[in-house]
Amino acid sequence: MSLANEPVCIKDLEAIAKNVMPSGAWGYYDSGSHDEQTKNDNISAFDSYRLHPRMLRDVSKLNTQTTVLGKPVRTPLGVAPCALHKLAHAEGEAATSRAASKHGSIMILSTYSTTSMEKVIAQGSGDTQYWMQLYVYRERSVSEEIVRRAEKAGFSALVLTVDAPVLGKRLSDARNRFNPPPHLRLENFMDPEVANATDGYTPDLARSKKETFGATFGANGDQSLSWENGIKWLKSITKLPVIVKGIMTAEDTQLAIAHGCAGVIVSNHGGRQLDGALSTIDALPQVVEAAGDKIEVYMDGGIRRGSDIFKALALGARAVFVARPVLWGLAYKGEEGVFHALDILQKELELTMMLSGTRSVDEIDESYIYQPVNRWVRYAPGSRKAAGAQKRLLAKL
């Protein structure tokens, strides 16, 4: 596709980004783990859900406003955390922040941002929610310092990623022997006075011990992290709401409720961690059912059309987040490209709402969707071990 042609859908943006980005950077953003079954399922599973539209409804006035953590947002579509935005564009997360603010929802900033959290939030407006994504390291003081900086900068929630005790095996990265270009810096691990200096810093500035630590997540992540020693610890050091990202089951949703979390994000890390896990849209219903009205449920993964957003909302998600489409827009045209990606999805959501006979996000529920029946079954642990024992069915998904 020629850059002279305005992209009209997310697939167009994907094709442009693949054409303009270096192969190593493209592979890093695009790759899933192992055979990429889960990454591909995240996208294709939406096709198994069909819409049930209603006719002769007055849809002359449309409203996509909703609330997230009790605060109003203009749309239930937000920006998911993703590392290294400067791989796609020189302005990186600063450009993404400006576009997200103009769009009017939520931006979750990755710990592994190439732009400091202070600079990112400074690009936004007062009605934009910024959440800080967090990993817990074996040296808890490193995680705590990021929390303290996020609090001071004005972030309104923490998003703890829990699906990465180790990194998944991403074959594209292994084949490309991908390493981030040396000029890109992990500014959230730098001294904030240095990262945020008015006159900047030189590209050859020596990396601090802390920045080097941050660049070796695989060696420094806390593999002993648990509900008891992780969530409890995080809540003890901050008053910010804690949202757990990487939840795929009813059982873990119930544990999130028990440990006082404010929300869960149904996520499989974009198919970059455990290959063979359910797609997020297939996992969403059991999480929503377990959550009831006790905790908010969000979702990311595989969203490429506004109708995908509609389906997720119909199944009970309060909001959805996208990462790869944002990065493709960033590679296409910086801030303008990110906004274009979000605007495509927003307008497609509004179109789906009107054609389905809904006027507001509050009206979208499971009555507007056909769900596949009995695609997956799951049995109780150990039910095959006892001789002659009848398997106990736990769930049909």
Side-chain angles (χ1 to χ4, degrees), residues 216-239:
T216 53
F217 167 78
N220 292 308
D222 187 354
Q223 296 178 5
S224 72
L225 192 69
S226 70
W227 290 101
E228 282 300 320
N229 70 31
I231 304 297
K232 201 170 183 179
W233 169 78
L234 184 55
K235 287 178 66 64
S236 76
I237 66 167
T238 184
K239 295 189 181 301

Side-chain angles (χ1 to χ4, degrees), residues 118-131:
E118 294 87 0
K119 288 190 284 193
V120 168
I121 201 168
Q123 299 295 314
S125 61
D127 63 347
T128 304
Q129 289 192 50
Y130 287 88
W131 297 352

Side-chain angles (χ1 to χ4, degrees), residues 45-46 48-52 281-282 284-286 311 314-316 365-375 396-397:
F46 278 100
S48 298
Y49 296 80
R50 295 289 190 268
L51 300 175
H52 181 75
I281 193 67
D282 282 331
L284 179 62
Q286 63 171 300
K311 290 172 183 179
L315 291 173
D365 62 23
E366 60 186 0
S367 69
Y368 288 92
I369 195 169
Y370 292 99
Q371 302 180 44
V373 178
N374 297 354
R375 294 182 68 196
K396 292 183 178 182
L397 303 180

Side-chain angles (χ1 to χ4, degrees), residues 28 51 54 217 226 251 268 276 325 329 355 364 366:
Y28 174 74
L51 300 175
R54 298 298 307 278
F217 167 78
S226 70
E251 298 94 322
N268 52 36
L355 293 177
I364 304 172
E366 60 186 0

